[in-house]
Amino acid sequence: MGKPIIFHIDVNSAYLSWEATYRLQQGDPLDLRTVPSVVGGDPLTRHGIVLAKSILAKEYGIKTGETLYSALSKCPDLIIAKPNYLLFRQCSKALGDILREYSPLIQQFSVDEYFLDFTSMDLLFGDPLAIAYQIKDRVKKELGFTVNIGISTNKLLAKMASELQKPDKVHTLFPEEIPEKMWPLPIGELFMVGRATTRKLLSRNIKTIGELAHTDPRLLKAILKSYGLLIWNYAHGIENSPVRPGGRVEVKGMGNSTTLSFDVDNRKEAHLVLLSLVETVSARLRHSQYFTRLVSISFRTNEFLSYSHQRKLSQATDCTNEIWEIACRLFDELWKGQPLRHLGVRVSELCQNDFLQLSLFAKDYEKERKVDQAIDGIRERFGSQAIMRSSYLHSGLKSMTGGVIAEEEYPTMTSLL
DNA sequence: TCGTCGCTGGCGAAGTGTGC
DNA sequence: GCACACTTCGCCAGCGACGA
C-alpha cells in the first residue's frame, strides 16, 4: 500500500450565507428558505436571521444578541427565514453519496464535514489533487453549494489544510509543507487549542504553531499535563487515527442544559426546569437504546458561580421519572437557595439496554417505561409539543428543553482525532 | 455566547504488602 | 493478628474544546 492520502471535505456554510447576503445587496433578493445556509452556526442564525454574522456586524452594525426589531431597523432588507435542518441534512447526505463514488472509506465527522481515505485509490482514479478539484466542482455544480477540501497523510493535517483559506478551495498540507504552511499560523488555529490554552501559551510567549513545535515538550507537559504533549504532536503533524467508515463512535454520555431568561428562586420551578431537561435527555437515551448508570446535574447562579453534583446508580435506567427523581434529589442536596440562571442535566456511563440487569430492591419502573415509550411514539409522530405534563400549563416553561435526537448520529470532534 | 460533551486531577475508600 | 504505609480504583467537580 502507498503512503496514506486523506481528504477532509468541509461545507462552506457561512459563505453560502455570505453569497446570499451579497445577492441581497446587489438587489437580487434570494429566498433563503431554499438554500442550505439557513443552518449556519451563530446565534443570530439560530434565531432565524440568515445572513453572515460578519456582514451584519460590518455593514449594518448588527451584533449577536440584538433583538429582531432592532436588527430590522438597521437593515430593512433583512430576510428572516426559519432554519431548515431537514434540507441541510439532505444536502449533507447528497455530499456523502458523491464522496462514496471515490472511496468506500468515508467518515462523517459532523453534519457538514467528511473525511475520505483516498489511500491507493489514486491507482484507480489518478492524481489526488485533480480528484479533489473534481469533487469540489461536482458538489458546486450538482448540489449548488461550495466545499473546501484539504489533502494530507492524516486526518489532522487534512483538516488543518481544508481550513487554510475559504471558500471553494483545495489545499494540501503534507508533512514536508508543515514549516511553510502551518507553523506561521497563530497558535489558536491549531486543532484542540482553544481560548484557555491559547491564553496559557501566549503568557509564555508561544504565539505561533511553529513556536509551539519548537518548545520543549517537557515544558508543555509541565504546563498542560498530557494535553501539552498532544498539542505538541499536533504542531508536528503527528496523528494516526484511521478514517472510520460509518462515523459513529460509542457515545459516552449525553446531556442538556439551558440558560434561563429569568432567575429561578424556588425549588418547584427548578424541578420543573430539570424535568424539561430530563424529558429530552431520557428520550435521547431511549432513541439510542442506551441506559445510564450515572446522573449529574449542574447549575449556575445569577452571579455566574457554577456547581455540579452527580450520583452513581445501582441499577441502570432510561426512565424519565426515575432520572428526574434522582436529578431533583441531587439538586436539593446542592442548592442553597441562590437565584439560578442556568440548569443542566447529564447522563453518562451508558450501557446497551438489551443487557439491563434488574435489581431486587429497586422500585419497579416498568409501567412508567411503557408510558415513556408511548409518549415517545406520539412525539415522534406529531412533534415534541404534541403531549406535555399538566404541570407545565400556565407555567411559562417549556415542557422539553435541549438538543435534537438526530445529533447523536454525529460524534463530536474531540472524540475522534 | 450557548449548549454539549470528554477529559483531568483531587480526594477518599478499598485493597495489598510489610514489619512487628 | 494487628497496625501502618503504599498503591489502586472509583467518585466527583470542574475545565475546556468545539460546533452552532
Side-chain angles (χ1 to χ4, degrees), chain A residues 331-351:
Chain A
F331 175 83
D332 293 346
E333 287 167 15
L334 190 63
W335 189 53
K336 305 283 181 256
Q338 315 96 309
L340 303 177
R341 265 303 167 107
H342 179 99
L343 274 157
V345 173
R346 181 171 159 75
V347 295
S348 46
E349 292 202 14
L350 306 184
C351 55

Side-chain angles (χ1 to χ4, degrees), chain A residues 3-7 128-129 133 149-154 156-162 164 170-185 209-210 213-214 234-238:
Chain A
K3 77 170 181 182
I5 306 168
I6 308 295
F7 288 6
L129 192 62
Y133 275 103
I149 300 182
I151 310 171
S152 189
T153 53
N154 64 39
L156 170 80
L157 290 175
K159 181 166 169 57
M160 293 293 295
S162 75
L164 284 176
V170 174
H171 298 284
T172 61
L173 181 56
F174 292 108
E176 60 272 19
E177 296 177 296
I178 289 174
E180 178 205 345
K181 292 186 177 176
M182 193 167 87
W183 283 355
L185 297 175
I209 299 175
H214 290 103
Y234 281 7
H236 285 272
I238 300 168

Side-chain angles (χ1 to χ4, degrees), chain A residues 182-185 187 201-202 204-216 220 232 235-236:
Chain A
M182 193 167 87
W183 283 355
L185 297 175
I187 189 67
L201 294 172
L202 286 177
R204 283 163 177 85
N205 216 25
I206 300 170
K207 299 185 289 293
T208 64
I209 299 175
E211 286 168 356
L212 174 68
H214 290 103
T215 302
D216 187 340
L220 292 171
W232 185 84
H236 285 272

Side-chain angles (χ1 to χ4, degrees), chain A residues 384-404:
Chain A
S384 63
Q385 300 302 316
I387 184 166
M388 68 161 84
R389 292 172 196 251
S390 59
S391 47
Y392 285 101
L393 288 172
H394 314 300
S395 71
L397 297 168
K398 285 197 279 185
S399 60
M400 288 185 87
T401 309
V404 293

Side-chain angles (χ1 to χ4, degrees), chain A residues 58-216:
Chain A
K58 199 170 153 190
E59 302 291 329
Y60 301 101
I62 298 170
K63 297 187 183 71
T64 300
E66 199 154 328
T67 65
L68 197 56
Y69 177 79
S70 167
L72 279 168
S73 69
K74 291 176 181 171
C75 176
D77 294 331
L78 192 63
I79 294 178
I80 314 297
K82 195 178 173 195
N84 190 338
Y85 286 88
L86 182 65
L87 179 60
F88 196 80
R89 287 169 58 75
Q90 284 169 346
C91 290
S92 178
K93 184 180 173 301
L95 172 61
D97 291 343
I98 288 181
L99 298 178
R100 235 166 258 117
E101 292 178 27
Y102 295 89
S103 170
L105 290 176
I106 69 162
Q107 173 185 349
Q108 186 153 14
F109 192 48
S110 69
V111 74
D112 60 355
E113 287 177 76
Y114 280 91
F115 284 108
L116 183 152
D117 189 340
F118 199 70
T119 309
S120 302
M121 300 306 284
D122 49 334
L123 301 173
L124 196 62
F125 292 101
D127 177 38
L129 192 62
I131 292 301
Y133 275 103
Q134 190 185 103
I135 292 172
K136 176 182 82 68
D137 293 340
R138 271 193 67 189
V139 170
K140 194 173 182 179
K141 190 169 168 227
E142 294 175 25
L143 304 181
F145 54 84
T146 61
V147 292
N148 257 44
I149 300 182
I151 310 171
S152 189
T153 53
N154 64 39
K155 284 158 69 177
L156 170 80
L157 290 175
K159 181 166 169 57
M160 293 293 295
S162 75
E163 286 167 7
L164 284 176
Q165 195 194 6
K166 292 182 176 184
D168 200 20
K169 295 274 193 302
V170 174
H171 298 284
T172 61
L173 181 56
F174 292 108
E176 60 272 19
E177 296 177 296
I178 289 174
E180 178 205 345
K181 292 186 177 176
M182 193 167 87
W183 283 355
L185 297 175
I187 189 67
E189 298 285 310
L190 184 64
F191 182 64
M192 292 298 285
V193 175
R195 287 183 301 273
T197 309
T198 299
R199 268 200 304 275
K200 283 179 192 168
L201 294 172
L202 286 177
S203 72
R204 283 163 177 85
N205 216 25
I206 300 170
K207 299 185 289 293
T208 64
I209 299 175
E211 286 168 356
L212 174 68
H214 290 103
T215 302
D216 187 340

Side-chain angles (χ1 to χ4, degrees), chain A residues 349-373:
Chain A
E349 292 202 14
L350 306 184
C351 55
Q352 294 293 325
N353 60 5
D354 44 357
F355 293 108
L356 173 66
Q357 192 180 353
L358 293 172
S359 162
L360 290 173
F361 307 105
K363 181 177 164 183
D364 181 13
Y365 284 95
E366 200 46 41
K367 272 186 196 163
E368 296 186 20
R369 291 194 64 230
K370 281 182 182 158
V371 173
D372 284 339
Q373 282 163 9

Side-chain angles (χ1 to χ4, degrees), chain A residues 14 17 161 194 275-276 298 366 411:
Chain A
S17 294
L275 177 57
S276 75
S298 61
E366 200 46 41

